[in-house]
Amino acid sequence: MAETKYVAYLRVSTQKQGYSGLGLEAQREIIHNYLRDTTPISEYVEVESGRKSDRPKLKEALSQCRKESATLIVAKLDRLARSVSFLSNLLESDVEIIFCDFPQANKMVLHIISAISQYEAELIAARTKASLQAKKARGFKLGNPEHLLDKHEQVIQNSIKTCKAKADSNPNNKRAIAMLRTLVKEEYTLQEMADTLNQEGFVTSKGCSFSKSTIYKLLKRYNLK
């Protein structure tokens, strides 16, 4: 039986990330850990916003997949697209795709996750726009560096809120929490919860396996009883 060939696709949102390598090494490591001893036959790096569907490097990657009968491998689902229509068209193509953070996902699940991601992105954009307009109306000078560090404590608190918001919106966390709600009702132990999530292919926000301590933190953070 012929060994499966893979073409890696990596994406960063800005030119700065592209030049600095920020985010790229993390994606490469995730793909490397997933494939273990297998090396992709090629790698394509896109520097583009997730909301845009014009991806020349992705088109090249898909073209090579067809020529080589290879599978497209992506580190995380959100690296590919936040657009429902774009992701739907892509999943209906003849190229097999694997997402390292959610390898068990079928097309229906991916469509649902993409719809949620797009909805969240639109909410964030709307809230940001409304917040900036409100500040401008109050005479707040946007872009003034003096306002960024008014109070050291406030900066710390904002950072904590940002990290929490990222954790709350992480798709891996959302899937795990949905399953944990059921397991809590069934009165599973912490170890049984961790074993169940791992056996079903769930991963943490960082793509790792679950442990008792990880489960405990999630239950406490989301007040699951």
Side-chain angles (χ1 to χ4, degrees), residues 3-225:
E3 183 179 352
T4 302
K5 293 183 287 187
Y6 296 92
V7 171
Y9 176 77
L10 294 77
R11 183 183 68 79
V12 289
S13 302
T14 65
Q15 286 288 349
K16 182 178 179 181
Q17 287 182 321
Y19 294 142
S20 68
L22 181 62
L24 290 179
E25 287 307 317
Q27 293 178 57
R28 288 193 182 101
E29 183 176 358
I30 291 173
I31 292 174
H32 173 74
N33 291 338
Y34 182 88
L35 295 180
R36 297 181 182 276
D37 297 328
T38 302
T39 302
I41 59 176
S42 59
E43 175 187 284
Y44 293 85
V45 177
E46 196 93 70
V47 180
E48 184 57 88
S49 168
R51 297 191 185 94
K52 296 184 179 180
S53 59
D54 184 18
R55 312 268 191 86
K57 290 299 180 181
L58 180 57
K59 291 178 181 178
E60 292 178 23
L62 291 172
S63 177
Q64 183 171 9
C65 284
R66 295 187 182 96
K67 292 178 183 178
E68 302 284 348
S69 297
T71 296
L72 185 72
I73 185 166
V74 185
K76 300 178 67 177
L77 175 60
D78 65 359
R79 288 295 87 189
L80 196 53
R82 290 180 180 175
S83 166
V84 176
S85 60
F86 177 68
L87 184 57
S88 297
N89 291 332
L90 184 62
L91 293 175
E92 289 168 3
S93 70
D94 55 345
V95 174
E96 185 177 351
I97 305 171
I98 288 181
F99 302 96
C100 297
D101 65 334
F102 199 14
Q104 291 79 13
N106 55 33
K107 290 186 177 181
M108 180 185 72
V109 173
L110 293 177
H111 290 327
I112 293 172
I113 293 174
S114 176
I116 293 174
S117 297
Q118 177 169 303
Y119 176 67
E120 290 175 342
E122 291 171 352
L123 279 181
I124 292 171
R127 288 169 181 167
T128 301
K129 183 177 180 180
S131 176
L132 292 176
Q133 289 177 341
K135 287 183 177 180
K136 190 173 181 179
R138 294 196 303 267
F140 186 93
K141 286 188 176 182
L142 301 180
N144 189 337
E146 292 180 1
H147 295 292
L148 297 179
L149 292 174
D150 286 339
K151 294 182 180 180
H152 180 66
E153 182 63 27
Q154 185 61 47
V155 173
I156 295 176
Q157 292 301 320
N158 289 342
S159 177
I160 293 174
K161 290 180 180 179
T162 299
C163 291
K164 185 178 184 302
K166 288 182 178 180
D168 290 343
S169 64
N170 185 279
N172 289 342
N173 278 351
K174 288 185 176 181
R175 290 190 289 270
I177 292 303
M179 176 64 79
L180 285 175
R181 293 186 191 280
T182 300
L183 299 182
V184 168
K185 292 180 181 179
E186 297 295 330
E187 297 184 350
Y188 277 51
T189 65
L190 293 177
Q191 188 59 58
E192 288 173 339
M193 291 180 189
D195 292 341
T196 299
L197 290 178
N198 292 332
Q199 290 168 5
E200 293 298 324
F202 288 80
V203 292
T204 67
S205 60
K206 296 182 180 180
C208 302
S209 300
F210 285 93
S211 64
K212 288 173 60 177
S213 62
T214 308
I215 297 296
Y216 175 78
K217 291 177 182 177
L218 286 175
L219 295 181
K220 186 175 181 180
R221 176 185 297 166
Y222 295 96
N223 195 29
L224 300 180
K225 298 179 180 179

